[in-house]
Amino acid sequence: MFILKRVLLGLVVTLLALGLVAVGLFYFGGPSTPAPGPAADTGATAAPSPMTGAPGDQRFIIEVPGCTCHSDDPAVVAEHATYRMSECSECH
């Protein structure tokens, strides 16, 4: 019985830790910085990293791999680079 309690406690602690990570990514996670691609060939500038820019514009955003803006418009991609996952519901 003691081993079962320890296993259940370990499972509960693991699930709570994963839940905290998920909540943290939801509130502080954002799209990853777009890689230079075809937009660089057309003369369009790539979106700045969310952690760079003017001192007043800096926000703490954790880049989530695979989370990208799906727009073809470079201006929209640059705007969405400063969004957090919790703010994505404004567009989606």
Side-chain angles (χ1 to χ4, degrees), residues 19-77:
L20 286 174
V21 168
V23 168
L25 284 177
F26 180 73
Y27 285 108
F28 298 109
S32 54
T33 306
D41 297 337
T42 61
T45 59
S49 172
M51 294 301 292
T52 62
D57 294 341
Q58 291 182 346
R59 298 176 66 187
F60 178 70
I61 297 175
I62 301 169
E63 290 187 4
V64 178
C67 178
T68 58
C69 178
H70 301 286
S71 177
D72 294 331
D73 184 11
V76 173
V77 172

Side-chain angles (χ1 to χ4, degrees), residues 1 8 13 18 28 33-34 37 50 54 66 68 77 82-83 85:
M1 193 64 157
L8 287 177
V13 168
L18 287 174
F28 298 109
T33 306
T68 58
V77 172
T82 61
Y83 280 19
M85 289 178 78

